[in-house]
Amino acid sequence: QAQLVESGGGLVQPGGSLRLSCAASIPTFNKYYMYWVRQAPGKGLEWVASINDAGGRTYYSDSLEGRFTISRDNAANRIFLQMNGLKPDDTAVYYCVAATDFVRTWPPPAFGSWGQGARVTVSS
């Protein structure tokens, strides 16, 4: 049973930063592509970013305007999402997901489950 645990969310003022972490209890974690997706209140899932298995290539949603950075530490079975210049519209629950395809959208052709998510609230 794969298990993904997101952490690092919280309340932050507009313009602030947060660093999300996802601990992935997945055998052969370094063979999977990883995604961050989010769900804002009252909206559907939105793709945020993707990272390949080795971590050397990344995709981002155009709407992020360069504010977010996805990374991974394969030795620690973990991925990260550094979020800078946060805006109220970034308020959402953020999930990490493992997949066997590396694409610039959501959903990929196949993907696994995700955890409870990390809740991010951007408000003054």
Side-chain angles (χ1 to χ4, degrees), residues 6-122:
E6 299 92 345
S7 62
L11 174 65
V12 64
Q13 295 187 27
S17 298
L18 285 173
R19 183 175 174 85
L20 303 183
S21 179
C22 173
S25 299
I26 303 175
T28 62
F29 170 76
N30 63 346
K31 296 185 180 297
Y32 289 90
Y33 309 115
M34 297 296 296
Y35 292 70
W36 283 102
V37 298
R38 67 184 183 183
Q39 186 167 28
K43 298 184 178 180
L45 289 171
E46 178 188 9
W47 171 66
V48 174
S50 313
I51 189 166
N52 74 336
D53 50 357
R57 190 171 182 181
T58 57
Y59 294 144
Y60 296 94
S61 170
D62 291 340
S63 66
L64 298 178
E65 302 174 0
R67 297 179 296 114
F68 290 10
T69 302
I70 186 173
S71 61
R72 68 190 296 164
D73 182 346
N74 284 343
N77 283 26
R78 194 186 310 164
I79 68 166
F80 305 92
L81 184 68
Q82 178 66 46
M83 304 184 295
N84 300 322
L86 285 164
K87 305 176 180 179
D89 286 349
D90 295 319
T91 296
V93 178
Y94 288 73
Y95 303 93
C96 63
V97 191
T100 55
D101 296 272
F102 184 49
V103 296
R104 297 179 174 90
T105 187
W106 183 265
F111 59 92
S113 61
W114 52 84
Q116 297 300 307
R119 185 164 55 203
V120 173
T121 302
V122 184

